[in-house]
Amino acid sequence: MSAGRLVLVAFVAALACEATHAPDQAAERPFAPTHEEILVEPRSHLLPTYPCTSCHDEREAQPTRRRLADYHRTRYDDLKHGDDAFWCYQCHALEDIDKLRMASGQLISFDEAWRLCTSCHGDKQRDFQRGIHGLTIGEWNGKKHRRSCTGCHDPHNPRFRSMTPEKPPAPVQSR
Amino acid sequence: MIRYLQYLKSCAGCVLRGGRNYYLWMGGLFVLTFLGGISWYHHIADGLGITNMSNQVSWGIGIANFVYFVGVAASVALLIVPAYIYRIEEFKAVVVLAEIIAVISVVMCLSFIISDLGRPDRLLHLSPGLGVINLPSSHLAWDVMVFSVQLVLSLYIPAYLLYKRYLGQAPNLAFVLPPVMLSMLWAVIIHTVTAFLLSALKSRDFWNTGLLAPRFLVSAAVSGPAIILLCFAAINRYGGMRIADRVFDYLAHVLRVMLPVNLFLLGCEVFTELHSGTAVTESARYLFFGLGEHTLLPKFIWTAIVFDVVALVILLVPRWRQQPRLLYASCALLVFSIWVEKGMGLVLPGFTPSPLGEVVEYVPNASEIVLTIGILAAGALLFTAAAKVTIAVQTGRLRLQEGDA
Amino acid sequence: MKKDEASCAGARVEKLVELRLSKDGSRRSFLKSALAAAVTGTVASGCDHPFVKDLLQKHYKELSDEDKKELFQRIEQRTHAWSGVRVKVSDPQPLDGVHWGYALNLNHCNGNRRCVEACARENNLPNDPEIRYIRVVEADNGSQHLEHGTVNYDREQVPEPGKYYLPVQCHQCRNPPCVKACPTKATWQEPDGIVVVDYDWCIGCRYCQAACPYHARRFNWTVPSIEPDRINPDQGYLSNRIRPVGVIEKCTFCLHRVRRGRYPACFEACPTGARKFGNLADPSSEVRQIIASKRVWILKEDLGTDPRFFYFYA
């Protein structure tokens, strides 16, 4: 994954500022505590039907809630997010289908989906920013990549999927 | 020096000469020891994976036997008390034999421990100077220390007394009394340190009780006299030396007092564990009732308790305990019952369930049983040889002759 | 592709056979050289033999840099001799101002055991007899009675409704009962809090195993058998190098990784994001944030072991 595709998000979490470390110490010790850079992994390039405009350009957007019979049928069947009032344009932007729409009306890229998610899930936002919620890889004290919300959760059906576990421990054998 | 070599030579001669039955007995024991040695070789060459121990039950029959024979070694102090505190002559004659039982028990303990090590080749890591010994925090390190002292003490006392007797000289009390007194204290110490070895482990609720050390001492005062009594009976019968009835009466008396105390302490433990019914008493439930389909241990422990009670009844009824056969039978019952109660019945529940709640039932397999029998046979072999020399010296058959050196 | 795998398996078997043979060979040649040494009376030639070198090897803390270099080379050569794999044994040192801490989110853990297998791969854990550092307890919601849970759950899908999952590995206690127990100081706590074992000093008494309340220590009951294609060549002397028979081993928070800035293998493998790792001495670290803001508890707190492994709900 090239760095250019990463969206650098500098979190200004109040707690993160508590950490004060002399820079000279940090220079001496390569892994000494330093301010961390957290990169939320972009997702748009992973979406199979992206850009949406490749189909939606030719179609009139219909903001009314209805049963979907031709396109996005599985999405419709699977849709389990929020209550019955939820519809595509709660999150997708009617005016630009390649973007997401915040409650404020601001349009944001799919790579920033976490901003939209956390605008409702405020408790998760706090935990996500502190690294408590979510999946992080990289270096414990260096560059960190954080999976975006939609990297683990299907936004249309966000409940974490069940998985097939690895095999159980080998039984103790008598000889 | 030459005189001492002469002495050793005549001792060896004494061991090597005997009747047909003696050779059969010694030969049989030698074969068993040899088989045990082969099993031991496999323990070392193939790793302890040939045993039935596992990461869940990581100590088995070896440690159980170790704990048991620590008790036997310690209980010898019970004979030193009448001999050297009350100065009863009949007892002085058997102190050497008792000390020999102690030293052989210690040797057997060490064999059980060393054969249970994953890396016996690194034993030197435990020795002061050459190794790194974790004092004062490791109870196992303390156990190694007190065992070394015990080994020296119980080797020195009979060796000195016998040699003096061989020379026909009276032992110098200044060389005897301090180590003898120390060995009485040491009996309590080795047994308490061994009990602390287990009771100090907060990870194992079953052992983590203040009652463990008293129970160790009391159960030792049952299994020890029982074994000593049987050994002395065998000497009376086959050894060509008459051990006074008073010694037997004394040992039976000790049993009569200590066996009820032992049962009482066991009962206290059972009551507290089972009545409270907390999660940490699963081990006790495993021991007495089994967990799920794992019910082998309860069979043993209930057998042991029945044996205890039968032996107690025999010992309490004067008419029965005066019959040597019944007395010996009750001793045999006790040797087994304490082995269950304090050996396997103590070590295994400590590991079952495991700290994460896994229940793995351990049963020693053939290789472990052969090794155990081998070490027991080696002990019996050593005892027979040592007792033969001791008796020959004590009865005056083995003496420094006028012409020698 | 299939063919490759088959030939790979064939090569593996061949190598295992070679391993057996070379072991026998080395034993025989040892006897020979020992005999030669005895006959000619030259102690020096005996001292050069690997077996004698093993016997005379010093405790880790008494090893000089020279000793270490030679020792690591010997281990690398030995591994290469039986497996054909070139490994690198290193000894990363603890970092100043760093105390490792682990936190595990029980709301997120779904018992998939990816951590267990990733740990096995990273740490060269054998499959037969199987050694795994991490055990995942499946327990009923509303119960902390571990005896009522199971580590042997075998399900098509996890999580099972009504159950929760409690992975347990070494807790790297600040007051470690295992370190107290060891009679030879073969296990100790490093300045960064990781409890390590000197595999070349351990006598295999397993007292530490009895002393551990978290069932975190494993014993090498036989010569660990590891297929050459599973060997991880990045090996720490005090962590994941291939162990000898008859010694204890345990989780080290992958010290050969974390002391170089990486995350432990179990952390990276977790697909649910339940695992959090970091520097307890750094208030901005994730672990510290969790301790500051979440409902955090430790397993068997009543035992006073003071672990560096925390469970939390978020």
Side-chain angles (χ1 to χ4, degrees), chain A residues 104-144:
Chain A
S104 64
Q106 187 194 358
L107 302 189
I108 58 171
S109 123
F110 280 94
D111 293 338
E112 289 180 287
W114 65 273
R115 285 179 59 199
L116 178 63
C117 303
T118 56
S119 63
C120 286
H121 301 281
D123 55 335
K124 294 290 180 282
Q125 178 188 27
R126 274 199 310 277
D127 287 351
F128 185 66
Q129 284 183 338
R130 294 173 184 171
I132 298 173
H133 184 109
L135 208 152
T136 309
I137 50 170
E139 293 174 338
W140 61 267
N141 203 32
K143 280 226 170 75
K144 289 181 187 182

Side-chain angles (χ1 to χ4, degrees), chain A residues 88-102:
Chain A
C88 309
Y89 299 106
Q90 220 93 35
C91 302
H92 293 278
L94 193 60
E95 53 270 54
D96 179 356
I97 197 68
D98 284 335
K99 290 268 162 69
L100 298 171
R101 185 175 173 280
M102 300 280 282

